[in-house]
Amino acid sequence: MSALSNWSWDYDGWIVLAGILCAVAASLPGNFLLLRRMSLLGDAISHAILPGLAVAFLITGSRSSLPMFLGAVIVGLLTAVFTEWIRNFGEVDEGASMGVVFTTLFALGLVMIVQAADHVDLDPGCVLYGSLETTTFDMVNVAGTEIPRVVLVLAAVTVINLVVVVLFFKELKLSAFDPALATTCGISARLMHYLLMIIVAVTAVASFESVGNILVVAMFVVPPATAFLLTERLRSMIIVSALIAAVSATLGHVSALVVPSWFGYRSTSTSGMMALCAGILFFAVSLFAPQHGVLIRILRRQRLSRRILSEDLIALLYRMDERKSGVVASIDQLRAALLSGGLMSSLLMKQHARKGHVIATANGYQLTDSGRRLGAELVRSHRLWEQYLVSEGGVAVDRIHGQAEQLEHFTGRELRDRLQQETSAPVLDPHGSPIPPE
Amino acid sequence: MRTLAALHSFLAFAASSLTDRSIRWPTWPEWQRVLLLQDYNTRVVMLGTMLLGLAAGMVGSFTLLRRRALMGDALSHATLPGVGLAFLIAPSLGLAEKSLPVLLTGAALSGIAGVIAILYVRNLTRLKEDAALGIVLSVFFGAGIAILSIAQQSVGHSAGLESFIYGKPASMIESDRLLIGCSGVLTLLIMGVLFKELTLLCFDEGFAKSRGYPVLLLDLVLMGLVVIVTIIGLQAVGLVLMIALLVIPAAASRFWTQNLKQMILISAAIGGAGGFLGAAMSALFRNLPAGAMIVLVCSSLFFISMMFGTERGVVVRALRRRDLNRSVDHQHLLRGMFELQESRGPKAGIPFSELQTLRSWSSHRLLKEIERCRRKGLVFRNSDQKLCLTSSGLVEASRLVHEHRLWELYLITHADVAPGRVDQSADAIEHVLEPELIAQLEELLLQKRRVQGIAPSPHPVDATEHAS
Amino acid sequence: MSGSIAQPPNNTLPLSVRDLTVAWYRKPVIWDVGLDVTPGQLVGVIGPNGAGKSTFLKAIMDLVPRASGRIEIFGQSYKRSRHRVGYVPQRESVDWDFPVSVLDVVTMGLYGKIGWCMPVRRHHREAALRALERVGIGEFANRQISQLSGGQQQRTFLARALVQDADLYLMDEPFAAVDAATEKAIVQILREMKQAGKTTIVIHHDLHTVPEYFDSVVLLNMRVVASGPTETVFTRDNLEKTYGGRLTLLDEATEAMRRRERTL
């Protein structure tokens, strides 16, 4: 970790703080953008503000940041307004209208810049992508402490966003979930839309000016998306997204220092690494999230199909045993009847043998008493369901087996008793097979 | 702050240079040279960007219909880390770091990784399309910037790489155009072969799946096409403006047609024209960057299409709506007057106030319609300011009433097919329905008239009509 | 051609529609529709696919532009009386992955009353919970909405409409793809609402159940074929005019009528 030996709280601390503030400020409105399926709007706005910056300067001739800030925010808002117009008047798909507007504005900005910058060998990259590394170059004295201007600006934006989100939580939520209802409730969905657009534009411009646009575009989308996979309530989603944003910002700066050193390079772009870290966090969460994680879901599905197969094996053995008591069935017989894989079936039968449900003999497997009890329960569920489907559901007899086959695996003692009651305790199922007693 | 400082110094310069320089209008020979492709360099650039516009316009049509217009946005950003890595790795493979094939291979590989990432997020998590695009866009772009920033250290400068973000069509050489040409032809071929399947995918994914089409594979092919077009476009117009070529021509062509084949052709034409004209303007006027000009030409074409497109343009739709409202008013007025006169005799005039209660129209709207009918000679005001139908008005009104009753009869007798075909605003029922069908309806109407002795509208609640 | 369910006694009818014509791309979707609905009715709107049923509801709420016509809700424009209108949209119209609980969704019906920037208080949540219990899914109050079955989702919407405490309800196919138990529960609630003097207009598909569920029906096929009390309007003749000669449907309807006669 030699790359961290130069860590200085006066320098790196401020950078991390600026990154965190930018990330949190962006992730707050980002949640609503995500839920309204407008995740790309942040990207669109941060590209589109280019002509705003140029025009504001050319009109006022002032170098102070305020006119530029206002110009950019106005153009950012116009992006949203134009997108809305083209969508409504032209009946163009939202994504497409966004694409038309922001690329046009960006091109316009580029023309203005290049038009004017005849002899300057200007790299627009440093205009657009900014850099967090220069955070501490511009310090402001506040109450005796030297604080980077960037941190002050971003802190103000974070507070504004926080206030808006808390104050209008209910309205933002409703107009994202069901705009039609919002309008009937007297909460204008359009008004909320533009309120959201204002804070998105302010955040984009403030961050653009100080830390470049990669970070803010990523933080509009990625932390809310990560939080969406982890939570089931909007409130917790917003809190978690802010936390994730802060963590990725911190990790981002550290890895910007550390990772390149592994390959013998000096540190790299901090905001780029912050975006990348957020992406890595997202990927990890998408795999391992407890409820909606991809791996968890695959595992869950596999465990379920294993359980079902294991139960099917015992039920099959029970049915064979019903016809001929003490029957011994080989694994191949069982497999052929269930059309299942050989390896999995024999593994599961060995498991049953270990649990004492069956005894392994030279010719195959034989049910024990405990196995017979287990089989009886399953077969009882199956046949009760069949009876229920015929007598209560009015399903044709030739179509009940498949449904009962699925239901039997999810039927406990209590449900069986209720089935028994509702079907008035039958002895035989619709096919004429006996229903085993409990 | 460096960012602002750079912007400030640049803008200060911009301001000063704007004041002392005006855009010079090119001379006639210059126009000729550029537009007739006499100059070799200009020719390469203009034909190259035109080809690019054609290809992007075609691919863009499909992504637009798939409601994924901004996929180009995400995928073009996704190529950046590949470019950076190729730049870093190339020297160790003994190749020049800026060799185009290496950079493009890198771009293609990371573009494909982007495609996979989009499909992963969209298909395996519960996030929606836009989030998938947004995540891939920002994370890949962040990674790209991080890698490029390292690459800058190792080589000292990466000036060539900037053109991947902003584009430098002027640097296009013959081999580039060949590359663009080949890729364009390849895209065209793939789209030609898979036209039917891609159409189905865009139109109804669920149906395609149910018919056993490999939807995932088709999706991959479509995104692959986007990657190809994007990569060849990176050099020419750059990353951000490449998005424009994928979105704008396709969105513009929607205003001209509802037919997919035509839409693709129009979109290709708009993209091609944008590429050609944009590059031409950049060659003619100093200091107009070609990439941005291409986009601006395309978006001008878009706005023209949006306003004046013959199928869904704003003007056409507004006119249509106005015509419809007028035709509804026209029918209401004449039919209402006809039916009132039927019961009162032809000479009786109808006071304005009565007409107004006949329907729920504002007096303004009614007055305007009366004025239109008066000008056409269909109605006149008699001496005590009541309204009467003229003889030609009577003919027109009875035609409308007759047609209206035919429509109603059709709706009742053919209720199962009718809703899709009824078009009361059509000039005449003959334009919509077959002659035999109309003859049948006429016969029915006559029968009813004979049975009931009058010519009623054929539905029971009609007795209360206009009672309110 | 105003098919009137009852002659208007005064101008405070829950819904009064005159000459409504709505068109997409020149083609009329509904055409000269007129309708008066008296208070306290449970009205079924039925008609074939493409007959403009949903468009009719949307036009009432000014969600689609109309070529002609006037709509009054309690004697006023929709805009001025929208707080008295509750809309139950089709289930697919919202994103069920949205991170809110069932209780949250029901509470949303109260947002208009709670007012701008005011937080949701406990008594609001209690009211929402009561509504949920009334529709029979109180135990799911804290679930995320994607974990509900189709029928439960529909009940959630219904509970939300209940807390809204509107006077006129517009429901777009509340019975679409719900289980039998839910259908029964919804009908029960609709009847209770009727007893409380609410007016409800329901788009309905299943001809079988029309005579059983609704006091009045509107047969819609681009225009109002007939409207009025179910007994007099829901006839084979009118159905034929609405649905054309599609035999299976007619048989279904005839069967339904026969059942109705038996129960009378």
Side-chain angles (χ1 to χ4, degrees):
Chain A
M1 284 281 173
S2 62
L4 285 184
S5 57
N6 292 330
W7 183 277
S8 128
W9 284 108
D10 281 344
Y11 176 72
D12 298 289
W14 286 124
I15 291 178
V16 170
L17 187 60
I20 288 177
L21 285 172
C22 171
V24 171
S27 70
L28 291 174
N31 285 290
F32 295 99
L33 289 182
L34 182 90
L35 293 173
R36 302 182 69 156
R37 307 190 182 181
M38 301 196 303
S39 295
L40 289 163
L41 196 84
D43 173 56
I45 285 186
S46 49
H47 280 308
I49 54 185
L50 196 61
L53 291 173
V55 168
F57 179 80
L58 291 176
I59 291 176
T60 63
S62 146
R63 293 189 180 205
S64 81
S65 305
L66 192 65
M68 296 243 259
F69 183 84
L70 283 180
V73 168
I74 289 169
V75 177
L77 270 178
L78 284 180
T79 314
V81 174
F82 288 153
T83 303
E84 200 58 18
W85 278 1
I86 293 184
R87 199 169 72 108
N88 287 338
F89 293 128
E91 293 186 349
V92 176
D93 168 63
E94 170 130 36
S97 54
M98 206 188 283
V100 171
V101 173
F102 92 82
T103 52
T104 304
L105 285 173
F106 184 79
L108 209 61
L110 219 54
V111 169
M112 282 179 175
I113 284 181
V114 181
Q115 226 344 276
D118 202 0
H119 315 290
V120 177
D121 179 25
L122 178 95
D123 167 18
C126 70
V127 180
L128 261 187
Y129 304 118
S131 92
L132 261 176
E133 288 81 349
T134 55
T135 300
T136 53
F137 292 7
D138 184 6
M139 302 293 266
V140 181
N141 195 320
V142 178
T145 338
E146 289 280 303
I147 297 175
R149 212 181 54 87
V150 176
V151 171
L152 279 181
V153 170
L154 289 174
V157 173
T158 311
V159 169
I160 292 173
N161 289 358
L162 200 64
V163 167
V164 169
V165 167
V166 169
L167 209 55
F168 296 101
F169 180 74
K170 185 166 97 281
E171 288 79 9
L172 285 168
K173 175 160 90 173
L174 179 57
S175 49
F177 178 65
D178 190 345
L181 178 71
T183 310
T184 40
C185 285
I187 296 166
S188 161
R190 170 165 303 165
L191 197 67
M192 292 323 292
H193 174 74
Y194 285 117
L195 179 69
L196 187 62
M197 290 308 108
I198 290 176
I199 61 171
V200 166
V202 167
T203 313
V205 176
S207 316
F208 168 94
E209 190 206 37
S210 46
V211 297
N213 79 349
I214 318 160
L215 183 58
V216 68
V217 170
M219 293 306 163
F220 274 132
V221 191
V222 188
T226 317
F228 183 72
L229 298 179
L230 283 171
T231 57
E232 303 205 315
R233 294 289 181 284
L234 186 55
R235 200 183 301 269
S236 44
M237 175 172 159
I238 293 174
I239 295 169
V240 170
S241 75
L243 282 176
I244 290 171
V247 169
S248 9
T250 316
L251 281 181
H253 183 59
V254 173
S255 50
L257 296 177
V258 173
V259 175
S261 72
W262 296 342
F263 305 98
Y265 293 105
R266 278 168 288 127
S267 65
T268 179
S269 154
T270 290
S271 33
M273 283 310 273
M274 286 179 175
L276 185 59
C277 279
I280 291 169
L281 276 178
F282 168 79
F283 184 63
V285 165
S286 75
L287 281 181
F288 303 113
Q291 271 294 315
H292 306 286
V294 171
L295 278 188
I296 305 292
R297 284 213 319 264
I298 293 174
L299 264 167
R300 229 186 271 144
R301 206 176 307 149
Q302 279 200 335
R303 201 172 344 145
L304 182 66
S305 61
R306 242 192 355 252
R307 203 193 90 203
I308 287 177
L309 180 58
S310 151
E311 290 183 353
D312 280 347
L313 284 165
I314 284 291
L316 179 64
L317 208 52
Y318 178 85
R319 288 201 180 92
M320 293 164 83
D321 191 75
E322 234 176 6
R323 258 170 268 152
K324 190 175 154 217
S325 189
V327 75
V328 174
S330 74
I331 201 83
D332 286 333
Q333 272 174 293
L334 293 171
R335 251 186 64 199
L338 291 175
L339 300 172
S340 60
L343 187 66
M344 192 43 86
S345 306
S346 39
L347 268 175
L348 289 172
M349 282 317 285
K350 287 206 180 92
Q351 205 178 32
H352 278 308
R354 259 203 316 282
K355 285 186 189 155
H357 298 152
V358 294
I359 321 167
T361 66
N363 297 330
Y365 294 96
Q366 191 181 12
L367 274 182
T368 64
D369 281 345
S370 78
R372 200 164 285 124
R373 260 199 308 285
L374 189 63
E377 270 171 31
L378 287 162
V379 172
R380 178 176 159 77
S381 303
H382 181 94
R383 291 178 183 161
L384 276 174
W385 270 119
E386 289 192 330
Q387 184 61 38
Y388 179 79
L389 287 173
V390 169
S391 63
E392 304 297 307
V395 184
V397 174
D398 54 337
R399 280 172 41 204
I400 51 179
H401 181 79
Q403 239 177 320
E405 191 67 29
Q406 283 172 350
L407 290 167
E408 65 177 38
H409 300 290
F410 305 95
T411 308
R413 171 76 197 252
E414 200 186 329
L415 191 52
R416 274 201 299 279
D417 289 345
R418 270 179 52 201
L419 281 174
Q420 160 130 8
Q421 263 174 25
E422 303 229 343
T423 51
S424 41
V427 188
L428 295 178
D429 76 358
H431 300 294
S433 313
I435 297 177
E438 194 65 54
Chain B
M1 277 173 311
R2 209 180 78 200
T3 318
L4 267 191
L7 191 64
H8 283 157
S9 66
F10 145 71
L11 284 174
F13 189 86
S16 66
S17 65
L18 264 189
T19 49
D20 59 37
R21 197 177 50 102
S22 54
I23 293 176
R24 194 177 62 85
W25 194 253
T27 59
W28 175 239
E30 281 176 310
W31 281 102
Q32 244 176 346
R33 244 164 61 87
V34 169
L35 291 182
L36 296 179
L37 305 173
Q38 284 166 349
D39 184 57
Y40 174 76
N41 277 332
T42 323
R43 186 166 68 217
V44 171
V45 171
M46 284 169 66
L47 291 182
T49 50
M50 190 177 86
L51 268 173
L52 181 69
L54 282 171
M58 288 189 292
V59 175
S61 307
F62 281 111
T63 53
L64 179 79
L65 290 177
R66 189 107 173 80
R67 300 192 152 273
R68 256 188 213 167
L70 288 176
M71 193 163 68
D73 192 3
L75 289 183
S76 57
H77 283 84
T79 54
L80 204 60
V83 174
L85 278 179
F87 191 76
L88 272 179
I89 292 170
S92 61
L93 298 175
L95 295 160
E97 63 260 3
K98 279 182 211 161
S99 95
L100 195 59
V102 177
L103 292 185
L104 289 189
T105 314
L109 288 178
S110 86
I112 290 166
V115 169
I116 293 170
I118 290 175
L119 287 176
Y120 167 81
V121 176
R122 193 183 88 105
N123 293 348
L124 293 179
T125 73
R126 55 179 192 149
L127 288 161
K128 311 289 179 315
E129 189 88 35
D130 68 302
L133 296 182
I135 291 167
V136 168
L137 179 150
S138 54
V139 173
F140 275 66
F141 195 53
I145 292 294
I147 293 171
L148 281 183
S149 143
I150 291 176
Q152 255 158 349
Q153 300 168 15
S154 79
V155 196
H157 65 95
S158 60
L161 292 183
E162 246 87 59
S163 72
F164 278 96
I165 301 179
Y166 300 102
K168 278 222 172 73
S171 67
M172 214 186 270
I173 50 170
E174 184 65 33
S175 67
D176 291 350
R177 201 185 54 165
L178 210 65
L179 186 75
I180 294 180
C182 291
S183 323
V185 171
L186 180 72
T187 338
L188 192 64
L189 269 179
I190 297 178
M191 288 208 311
V193 173
L194 292 176
F195 182 80
K196 182 165 59 38
E197 287 77 8
L198 287 175
T199 310
L200 194 60
L201 176 78
C202 297
F203 177 65
D204 188 346
E205 185 183 356
F207 178 71
K209 207 177 263 175
S210 73
R211 295 303 301 270
Y213 284 98
V215 168
L216 191 68
L217 195 71
L218 284 172
D219 237 3
L220 270 174
V221 170
L222 183 57
M223 292 206 215
L225 288 175
V226 175
V227 172
I228 294 177
V229 175
T230 308
I231 288 166
I232 54 177
L234 282 183
Q235 263 295 69
V237 292
L239 192 154
V240 182
L241 301 180
M242 190 55 226
I243 304 155
L245 277 185
L246 281 166
V247 176
I248 299 179
S253 69
R254 284 275 274 171
F255 294 110
W256 297 101
T257 176
Q258 300 277 41
N259 173 311
L260 182 64
K261 271 185 194 143
Q262 285 174 11
M263 178 183 158
I264 291 173
L265 287 179
I266 294 173
S267 168
I270 292 175
F276 188 87
L277 293 177
M281 284 172 79
S282 159
L284 280 168
F285 299 93
R286 276 182 345 130
N287 296 311
L288 289 182
M293 283 323 289
I294 293 170
V295 176
L296 290 181
V297 171
C298 283
S299 40
S300 314
L301 291 175
F302 173 86
F303 285 106
I304 293 170
S305 306
M306 176 167 146
M307 295 315 290
F308 305 110
T310 49
E311 186 61 42
R312 292 157 55 120
V314 171
V315 172
V316 166
R317 276 188 299 127
L319 284 179
R320 250 183 237 156
R321 180 145 290 283
R322 199 199 59 180
D323 286 351
L324 177 82
N325 289 356
R326 281 188 183 175
S327 110
V328 169
D329 287 349
H330 184 70
Q331 295 202 8
H332 281 174
L333 178 67
L334 288 187
R335 273 187 6 231
M337 286 184 71
F338 182 82
E339 277 158 15
L340 285 174
Q341 287 205 339
E342 230 177 7
S343 55
R344 287 179 202 174
K347 289 282 177 292
I350 299 151
F352 178 77
S353 56
E354 195 178 344
L355 280 173
Q356 204 178 357
T357 50
L358 198 64
R359 295 276 168 184
S360 62
W361 39 25
S362 66
S363 56
H364 175 70
R365 226 173 131 167
L366 177 57
L367 274 175
K368 277 179 109 175
E369 182 52 43
I370 290 174
E371 183 51 31
R372 271 195 296 274
C373 286
R374 209 179 55 77
R375 251 181 286 143
K376 283 187 215 153
L378 300 175
V379 301
F380 66 96
R381 284 181 204 276
N382 65 12
S383 48
D384 45 353
Q385 287 300 304
K386 289 181 178 171
L387 278 156
C388 294
L389 288 167
T390 63
S391 55
S392 63
L394 200 63
V395 173
E396 169 73 359
S398 69
R399 185 184 70 85
L400 284 175
V401 170
H402 182 68
E403 231 164 55
H404 179 71
R405 287 173 187 170
L406 283 182
W407 275 124
E408 282 186 326
L409 205 57
Y410 173 63
L411 202 53
I412 285 172
T413 51
H414 295 75
D416 42 346
V417 288
R421 300 189 63 194
V422 172
D423 187 358
Q424 219 195 348
S425 61
D427 297 332
I429 194 166
E430 295 87 9
H431 292 178
V432 185
L433 298 183
E434 301 81 10
E436 306 87 67
L437 191 57
I438 295 175
Q440 240 177 54
L441 292 173
E442 298 268 13
E443 181 60 29
L444 262 172
L445 200 60
L446 261 177
Q447 268 175 28
K448 286 199 184 246
R449 200 173 304 197
R450 252 179 257 127
V451 171
Q452 296 168 9
I454 42 163
S457 282
H459 59 99
V461 289
D462 200 57
T464 61
E465 189 176 25
H466 318 314
S468 55
Chain C
M1 56 222 59
S2 29
S4 40
I5 274 171
Q7 283 307 310
N10 50 46
N11 66 345
T12 56
L13 288 177
L15 178 67
S16 160
V17 178
R18 289 276 164 277
D19 305 325
L20 177 66
T21 301
V22 179
W24 295 118
Y25 290 102
R26 290 187 65 223
K27 281 199 134 188
V29 184
I30 46 181
W31 162 23
D32 279 2
V33 164
L35 192 68
D36 285 318
V37 177
T38 44
Q41 295 260 8
L42 186 48
V43 184
V45 177
I46 56 177
N49 288 327
K53 300 187 296 287
S54 281
T55 308
F56 178 56
L57 282 201
K58 291 199 177 113
I60 292 176
M61 290 179 295
D62 282 348
L63 293 174
V64 291
R66 42 183 201 255
S68 80
R70 192 179 58 217
I71 291 166
E72 281 182 1
I73 293 167
F74 298 106
Q76 286 178 313
S77 67
Y78 169 73
K79 215 172 171 184
R80 302 187 60 184
S81 53
R82 72 180 164 212
H83 59 281
R84 299 180 71 177
V85 180
Y87 176 47
V88 178
Q90 287 188 12
R91 240 180 24 245
E92 304 84 59
S93 69
V94 301
D95 172 15
W96 290 96
D97 276 336
F98 203 91
V100 285
S101 69
V102 177
L103 192 67
D104 281 339
V105 174
V106 179
T107 318
M108 285 176 187
L110 290 166
Y111 281 8
K113 290 207 184 80
I114 297 173
W116 283 87
C117 305
M118 300 301 281
V120 178
R121 303 222 179 270
R122 183 196 275 167
H123 65 269
H124 298 131
R125 272 191 287 272
E126 279 163 357
L129 193 60
R130 277 198 299 279
L132 270 178
E133 272 155 9
R134 215 174 129 196
V135 300
I137 51 168
E139 72 255 48
F140 300 131
N142 286 315
R143 285 214 188 162
Q144 202 262 326
I145 49 175
S146 64
Q147 295 163 13
L148 298 179
S149 71
Q152 289 161 348
Q153 290 177 344
Q154 197 66 61
R155 288 185 199 214
T156 309
F157 267 171
L158 194 65
R160 189 175 79 176
L162 284 177
V163 298
Q164 251 180 298
D165 199 28
D167 296 309
L168 170 68
Y169 286 99
L170 307 173
M171 304 194 177
D172 201 343
E173 304 218 11
F175 299 113
V178 299
D179 52 290
T182 301
E183 186 155 341
K184 267 182 214 159
I186 294 179
V187 170
Q188 182 56 36
I189 301 279
L190 289 182
R191 290 201 176 124
E192 285 169 30
M193 283 162 66
K194 183 188 150 186
Q195 252 129 51
K198 314 279 184 192
T199 311
T200 312
I201 297 174
V202 179
I203 292 184
H204 194 56
H205 245 141
D206 182 14
L207 290 179
H208 278 301
T209 47
V210 169
E212 189 187 333
Y213 291 173
F214 300 109
D215 317 321
S216 330
V217 287
V218 177
L219 294 172
L220 192 77
N221 187 13
M222 297 192 75
R223 40 190 270 299
V224 175
V225 175
S227 69
T230 312
E231 303 89 70
T232 53
V233 169
F234 196 70
T235 60
R236 183 176 174 113
D237 186 40
N238 279 337
L239 283 171
E240 212 168 282
K241 285 179 182 167
T242 316
Y243 284 90
R246 276 185 295 180
L247 286 172
T248 47
L249 270 171
L250 286 177
D251 288 345
E252 272 177 34
T254 329
E255 168 64 18
M257 276 182 282
R258 220 179 292 131
R259 256 194 304 182
R260 172 79 177 176
E261 274 156 25
R262 274 205 302 273
T263 55
L264 279 175

